[in-house]
Amino acid sequence: MHATKSLPVTGPAGPLAPLRRWPARLDLLQSATGLALGLFMWVHMFFVASILLGKDAMWTVARMFEGYFVFGTAQYWLVSLLVATVALLFVVHAALALRKFPANYRQYRTYRDHLKQMRHEDTTLWYWQVVTGFALFFLASVHLYIMMTRPDTIGPYGSADRVWSDTMWPLYLVLLFAVEFHGGVGLYRVALKWGWFEKGDPLATRRKLRRFKWALTAFFLVLGLATLAAYMKIGIEHAPYYGQPYVPAGVATEVSP
């Protein structure tokens, strides 16, 4: 098969500019990276929420990602590599998304006027997606950097100490709302854009997807708030022993002399 070339389009006034494929390719890449990050966000939330099942459950999940049960010792570089991959996806997605942001104040004013006149829910959702996306440039970057450089602190006590004693809970609280709203709207828009779940009635599909999106957002916000509260409670109790790692009773018995 031979690669096809961009063909000129003929209009009333003669040949127009050739069709450009790169904008579509970049849109596809933006959707793909957004989908990957959105799915990772949900899976990550379930893993972090394992603290609600107890300290041993969270310790087990953390050690699993470190290869503890395969190598016999924690391989922290595995976590750093995973976080670095997520950070790379985050940077690529953010760079692609910037193409859609208003480039100057005049464009911003035009969009705001358009938003007020139309009063269209999806247009409003996109606006708040831009706002939360801008916030994530700073909030998510802090969290990713800490996780990449200090994977050894991930655990029931280490994470709780970071949340409470290191006073990271305000950042995590804002990050929770920003990432859940941004990710939920993003996945909703991706599903609409590429026609997923389309069954012949676009308006009905849009309504169903919107209800499903808000239900998922509410679910993960409740789960996230409960998880953050659990880490804060453990952090308050563990504050006098800041820096002491958690070791399950069985493991402690095995390694003790």
Side-chain angles (χ1 to χ4, degrees):
M1 296 180 65
H2 299 284
T4 58
K5 298 180 178 179
S6 298
L7 300 176
V9 179
T10 302
L16 302 178
L19 295 174
R20 302 295 183 184
R21 289 187 172 87
W22 272 109
R25 290 167 179 166
L26 293 177
D27 270 358
L28 180 60
L29 183 58
Q30 180 182 345
S31 296
T33 53
L35 176 63
L37 289 170
L39 295 178
F40 172 80
M41 171 191 73
W42 287 342
V43 173
H44 172 268
M45 178 58 73
F46 282 119
F47 286 139
V48 173
S50 61
I51 194 65
L52 298 175
L53 302 178
K55 299 184 185 71
D56 284 1
M58 197 276 172
W59 182 90
T60 301
V61 170
R63 301 294 82 78
M64 179 182 67
F65 281 99
E66 296 166 359
Y68 177 86
F69 301 108
V70 175
F71 301 103
T73 57
Q75 304 294 317
Y76 298 120
W77 64 270
L78 291 174
V79 178
S80 295
L81 180 61
L82 174 62
V83 177
T85 302
V86 174
L88 178 61
L89 284 174
F90 178 75
V91 171
V92 172
H93 181 71
L96 293 171
L98 280 173
R99 299 176 304 124
K100 307 293 182 66
F101 282 26
N104 51 52
Y105 182 72
R106 178 177 295 180
Q107 291 184 4
Y108 170 76
R109 287 300 308 171
T110 300
Y111 175 76
R112 288 287 294 177
D113 293 341
H114 178 74
L115 182 66
K116 290 179 180 178
Q117 292 174 7
M118 288 194 65
R119 299 183 182 276
H120 187 260
E121 184 175 348
D122 282 6
T123 306
T124 304
L125 285 177
W126 185 84
Y127 171 78
W128 286 108
Q129 192 183 21
V130 170
V131 172
T132 53
F134 183 76
L136 288 175
F137 288 161
F138 306 96
L139 301 174
S141 297
V142 173
H143 177 62
L144 289 171
Y145 181 78
I146 294 174
M147 294 300 96
M148 186 166 55
T149 58
R150 294 302 310 274
D152 56 300
T153 63
I154 300 175
Y157 286 161
S159 298
D161 286 342
R162 182 170 59 256
V163 168
W164 182 253
S165 296
D166 293 341
T167 324
M168 290 291 289
W169 66 265
L171 183 143
Y172 287 147
L173 180 61
V174 179
L175 177 61
L176 171 65
F177 280 88
V179 74
E180 293 302 336
F181 187 87
H182 184 87
V185 173
L187 293 175
Y188 161 74
R189 288 174 57 82
V190 166
L192 286 180
K193 183 171 187 175
W194 300 105
W196 299 345
F197 315 110
E198 182 64 59
K199 295 184 179 180
D201 188 344
L203 292 179
T205 300
R206 185 184 297 265
R207 286 193 296 269
K208 291 177 182 178
L209 285 175
R210 192 179 296 152
R211 286 196 295 266
F212 185 61
K213 169 256 176 299
W214 284 118
L216 279 178
T217 299
F219 170 77
F220 281 107
L221 283 177
V222 171
L223 181 64
L225 289 172
T227 300
L228 183 60
Y231 282 113
M232 292 176 69
K233 179 178 182 296
I234 296 172
I236 293 171
E237 296 170 350
H238 191 251
Y241 312 99
Y242 176 85
Q244 181 185 76
Y246 177 81
V247 182
V251 175
T253 301
E254 292 176 7
V255 299
S256 298

